[in-house]
Amino acid sequence: MRKKIVVGNWKMNNTIAESVQLAQDVLAQLGEGFSGCEVGLSPTFLALQAVGTVIEGSSVQLVAQNCHYENDGAFTGEISVRMIKATGCSYVIIGHSERRQYFGETNSTVNLKVKKALNDGLKVIMCVGETLEEREAGVTGALVSSQVREGLDGIDDISSLVIAYEPVWAIGTGKTASAAQAEEVHDLIRTVVVKLYGEAVASELRIQYGGSVKPSNAAELFAMPNIDGGLIGGASLNAADFAAIVKAASEC
Ligand code: PEP
């Protein structure tokens, strides 16, 4: 039985003080001792340490939004896996569609980052997903399959990996993939992983859905057999909405 995982991706929102307040509000909403599913909060790099202090001692985990694939050196503006780990993060999000779209990330840079993070003991949420044009052109399956295959190229052990399927057309747009549309792609991702790693490994892999998940649609999405939680953008900026989504995941 796969334990569901719900992560709030706060993107480039909130100062350190605002992030601390939001983390406190999320904890208050979840209630003491919450353990119904795995939960992560992903503030900006600047606020990782401060949010880490707020969630210390709870089951909520700290998640970074990106990392570099080199150890250290002359990469102005970048953050290494070692630095991220030192803040207490347990996960890093890699290959978010906004990174691919605005910062030139490709399947091969995603692959370098995933390798680096996993090798250095940081768990990974690797994002994949098609644009509206790709969906309309009927290439969703081929595109997502190649994102999975190329992102995982040369990686033997995926026990510390989560895949997030995030159709780009559903991110921040208010348009959600229907539960059936999402399940179809999740099932396809698991089939690709079966081919790469075998049944046993694939059946353990958690595949999150992301794209305008809200309290009103979370339960239906999380009830699908291959949807193992959510990567939540906009709704994670509201503690009550995020907690409602987490609770929906816990009850599925
Ligand atoms: C995301 O950015 O990962 C995301 C799913 O955003 P939203 O929930 O706002 O669509």
Side-chain angles (χ1 to χ4, degrees), residues 9 11 96 98 166 170-173 210-213 231-235:
N9 173 14
K11 310 191 184 190
H96 190 281
E98 287 150 15
E166 300 205 300
I171 295 182
T173 58
S212 300
V213 178
L231 183 54
I232 317 300

Side-chain angles (χ1 to χ4, degrees), residues 150-167:
E150 291 174 34
L152 297 181
D153 188 41
I155 294 168
D156 295 330
D157 181 358
I158 58 162
S159 54
S160 297
L161 178 95
V162 173
I163 292 180
Y165 168 58
E166 300 205 300

Side-chain angles (χ1 to χ4, degrees), residues 7-11 93 96-98 127 164-175 209-214 230-237 245:
V7 172
N9 173 14
W10 295 352
K11 310 191 184 190
I93 299 168
H96 190 281
S97 65
E98 287 150 15
C127 302
Y165 168 58
E166 300 205 300
V168 180
W169 49 272
I171 295 182
T173 58
K175 289 185 194 147
Y209 170 77
S212 300
V213 178
K214 306 179 269 280
L231 183 54
I232 317 300
S236 71
L237 296 171
I245 293 168

Side-chain angles (χ1 to χ4, degrees), residues 238-249:
N238 177 296
D241 286 354
F242 183 66
I245 293 168
V246 168
K247 285 180 183 159

